[in-house]
Amino acid sequence: MRIDIKYDGGLSVISERLANGIEEIIGAGARQVCENAKTLCPVDTGALRDSISVECGETGADIVAGTDYAAYVEFGTSKMAPQPYLVPALIESGSSVLEAMAAAIEN
């Protein structure tokens, strides 16, 4: 069974504005997570911290730690305890990003 409902009584304009606002909020939220990750990142040489960056796309954003050993630091190994910095940064920033999204939807 398939039901198609089509209505464009201004909803497409609202949808477009909302999409643009959400993209900005996601980008800002990703940059906040990135900065928090850099703050929480353990530092030896600084290479890992300096490799953390944001890659924004049309529908989302990625926070990237660009060293070969980034995952080993985050999750640990059989010989090294984990020193998480990405997941805690996301958790720390999550509520403020969600609040910004809710505010954009309300407006």
Side-chain angles (χ1 to χ4, degrees):
M1 177 167 78
R2 178 178 168 169
I3 300 174
D4 290 328
I5 300 174
K6 296 179 182 180
Y7 170 77
D8 191 39
L11 289 177
S12 61
V13 173
I14 293 169
S15 175
E16 186 176 312
R17 287 182 186 161
L18 180 60
N20 290 337
I22 294 295
E23 285 177 24
E24 291 174 19
I25 291 166
I26 289 172
R31 288 186 291 278
Q32 180 181 352
V33 172
C34 180
E35 290 307 311
N36 288 349
K38 287 182 177 188
T39 300
L40 295 171
C41 181
V43 177
D44 186 14
T45 65
L48 176 58
R49 180 196 57 219
D50 295 343
S51 77
I52 301 171
S53 63
V54 175
E55 295 176 1
C56 291
E58 289 184 26
T59 59
D62 295 324
I63 293 87
V64 178
T67 63
D68 293 340
Y69 56 89
Y72 302 134
V73 175
E74 179 77 16
F75 301 110
T77 68
S78 62
K79 297 180 181 183
M80 182 181 85
Q83 299 176 69
Y85 56 97
L86 285 173
V87 172
L90 178 61
I91 291 169
E92 191 175 292
S93 306
S95 61
S96 62
V97 173
L98 291 175
E99 288 171 8
M101 286 182 169
I105 292 169
E106 287 178 9
N107 291 332

